[in-house]
Amino acid sequence: HRLSFFNQLPQIIETRPMLSSLKEAIQDLPKIRDALNNRTATDTFFAPSNAAIESFTKWGGYDDFKAGLSSMFSSDEIKALIVAYHAVPDERLMWGQLRAKAAQGAFLRTALANIFDNDAASLEVSFWKRNIFLKGTGSEGKIVAADIPACGSVVHVVDAVILPIDGDGGGSPHQKNQSKVKGSSATR
């Protein structure tokens, strides 16, 4: 797969069987597809696997992931915001670099954090038992396939849809703290 280095992110998503559900989920999002098609980008994208999307829609009470996505994300804007939470713009972070960031307790500023100019929409990177985890406000995912090159960017497949909101109130103390807007005196 030497030629895969020249593939753009949408081509990676479209040609990897483990990402076919993601392909269907973003097919009706032209702005997201345009952003992913940028050949000069140096981004990191955490792509939810088919199993991740299936688990997510089952968590939402749907056996059919298409019906689940349609109902759970009633608008393309909501779906686009979730996708933006899986992207780290302007940083091509390989597995080893993510491992180093995990050792530092680093947070990754996502495209969603850039949209809202809010660090609460960042992802915490952690490392446990030889695995890298990404902790969002409402869920966390483990990297299950790493370092898939896409032009100047890189794709890592994750085993969960990483949520920027705590959808069930079951977030960890860290996740609940992260969901608070920085600088706000409001409590939740």
Side-chain angles (χ1 to χ4, degrees), residues 4-126:
S4 68
F5 179 77
F6 299 105
N7 286 340
Q8 293 166 267
L9 286 170
Q11 292 167 318
I12 298 295
I13 293 167
E14 291 168 6
T15 60
R16 302 280 170 149
M18 71 185 320
L19 298 176
S20 61
S21 296
L22 179 60
K23 173 186 165 186
E24 290 184 45
I26 66 169
Q27 70 186 0
D28 57 348
L29 300 173
K31 288 182 182 177
I32 292 292
R33 292 190 57 77
D34 287 347
L36 295 176
N37 262 323
N38 184 346
R39 285 188 178 274
T40 62
T42 54
D43 301 334
T44 303
F45 185 66
F46 301 105
S49 68
N50 293 343
I53 292 174
E54 180 181 329
S55 175
F56 173 67
T57 54
K58 284 190 180 193
W59 168 81
Y62 298 91
D63 289 327
D64 179 319
F65 96 92
K66 286 182 186 180
L69 287 178
S70 176
S71 180
M72 293 168 80
F73 300 120
S74 55
S75 73
D76 288 348
E77 290 82 13
I78 293 171
K79 204 184 317 181
L81 293 175
I82 298 292
V83 173
Y85 199 49
H86 289 77
V88 177
D90 304 321
E91 285 192 81
R92 184 177 195 253
L93 298 168
M94 304 301 282
W95 193 94
Q97 293 166 301
L98 290 169
R99 170 66 179 96
K101 286 189 176 284
Q104 300 166 356
F107 286 80
L108 304 176
R109 189 167 173 86
T110 67
L112 184 62
N114 289 344
I115 291 168
F116 291 111
D117 195 27
N118 181 343
D119 285 334
S122 296
L123 298 173
E124 180 184 12
V125 186
S126 64

